[in-house]
Amino acid sequence: MTLRGKAQRDPLCLWPRFARCARWAVGVWLTISVADAHAQTLTEAVFGDPTTRYGHAVLGDAVEWGALKMVFDGPDSAPSVVEVALPQDHVFEDLAPRPVDLDLDGTPDAVMVIETDMATGAALALYGADGKITETPHIGRSNRWLAPIAAADLDGDGHVEIAYIDRPHLAKTLRIWRYRNGALHPVADKPGLTNHRIGEDFITSGLRECGAGPELITADARWRKVMATRLKYGQIESRSIGLFDGRQSVADALECKPLN
């Protein structure tokens, strides 16, 4: 199995907390954290088995991924390798696996990926040391995609929420789900936001913390404004924080810089 493949896509440089523009290995992301004594810590995650069996090409080329490899370190054991091979009617229609800290102990223990059923479209799936944990429902038809924003405790309730834009080119709807007891539960939706344009090999969004709680950063549906969104008491609140002027404006917002 080839682990790196041929698809040359921009890494998720705007992914919060762990990624920091590293395409594959996640070990460097752990230097600021203290691992739970009983947890397995994700140290590496890569896609493999490049495939052209699904011709959507939403990310700029026809190459997707048919496999996922994860490496976990435990406090009292050798690293364990978990390999996932998708069935022929599924692909990872994605850029790179995103580390997620599901138990909020300060270290990643799972990955979040876009997993597409070729007949029913994309879903957002969580994989851990025991394989697939859970996923959102698939959108419902072929050639329909979603673009992740972040996974974090967005409202301070002690549970991780995952946020993504459902069909960023069509529905342009933010959806937030909460991970609890091994499953994802819908929390809130909001139309009028987006983070991807067809053919781009990057996703223009992320999570920031500028001293007033976590905020999701996206564009508005017409790509004219940079939007900051919070989850508060089960409701989504969005506001414009400046003009959208390309990826850099979102990058500046994620660094808490003022925008025009």
Side-chain angles (χ1 to χ4, degrees):
M1 181 174 69
T2 302
L3 288 178
R4 296 192 183 270
K6 299 178 181 179
Q8 298 298 315
R9 292 173 176 164
D10 201 18
L12 284 182
C13 294
L14 304 184
W15 191 252
R17 189 173 182 184
F18 292 119
R20 297 300 180 192
C21 301
R23 182 181 291 269
W24 300 117
V26 301
V28 295
W29 308 333
L30 309 183
T31 57
I32 61 172
S33 304
V34 178
D36 186 295
H38 304 289
Q40 285 193 306
T41 298
L42 177 76
T43 58
E44 185 180 0
V46 296
F47 287 135
D49 186 19
T51 177
T52 58
R53 64 180 180 247
Y54 183 56
H56 191 196
V58 72
L59 290 162
D61 61 38
V63 180
E64 308 304 343
W65 308 100
L68 169 67
K69 176 183 175 181
M70 299 171 288
V71 180
F72 294 87
D73 279 352
D76 302 312
S77 61
S80 60
V81 178
V82 178
E83 294 186 328
V84 176
L86 291 179
Q88 288 297 302
D89 59 353
H90 280 225
V91 295
F92 293 117
E93 194 178 7
D94 208 344
L95 297 161
R98 301 160 187 79
V100 179
D101 179 10
L102 286 179
D103 60 9
L104 296 175
D105 73 344
T107 59
D109 48 28
V111 296
M112 182 165 67
V113 294
I114 307 168
E115 183 174 337
T116 295
D117 181 309
M118 293 162 61
T120 59
L124 207 57
L126 297 171
Y127 281 85
D130 296 321
K132 183 180 282 188
I133 301 168
T134 187
E135 65 181 358
T136 66
H138 290 267
I139 290 171
R141 59 173 292 183
S142 184
N143 295 337
R144 294 296 182 266
W145 189 69
L146 58 82
I149 305 172
D153 184 356
L154 297 177
D155 58 358
D157 67 347
H159 297 284
V160 169
E161 284 81 35
I162 67 169
Y164 63 91
I165 300 295
D166 178 0
R167 291 160 290 173
H169 326 113
L170 296 170
K172 302 182 181 181
T173 298
L174 168 65
R175 301 197 190 278
I176 298 178
W177 295 68
R178 180 173 293 119
Y179 178 77
R180 187 176 66 244
N181 298 326
L184 289 167
H185 306 270
V187 177
D189 303 331
K190 184 179 180 61
L193 301 171
T194 193
N195 60 348
H196 184 261
R197 290 180 280 206
I198 292 175
E200 292 179 338
D201 62 353
F202 53 88
I203 295 172
T204 309
S205 58
L207 178 73
R208 76 175 187 179
E209 169 56 77
C210 298
E215 292 183 310
L216 305 169
I217 302 300
T218 66
D220 75 313
R222 296 196 293 173
W223 293 94
R224 293 183 178 180
K225 299 176 182 178
V226 177
M227 305 296 293
T229 298
R230 296 181 182 179
L231 179 65
K232 190 173 182 180
Y233 304 117
Q235 303 295 316
I236 295 174
E237 300 178 353
S238 296
R239 72 187 197 282
S240 170
I241 57 173
L243 298 178
F244 179 82
D245 187 23
R247 295 177 71 191
Q248 189 59 48
S249 56
V250 171
D252 287 345
L254 290 171
E255 294 180 4
C256 305
K257 296 178 180 179
L259 304 182
N260 292 328

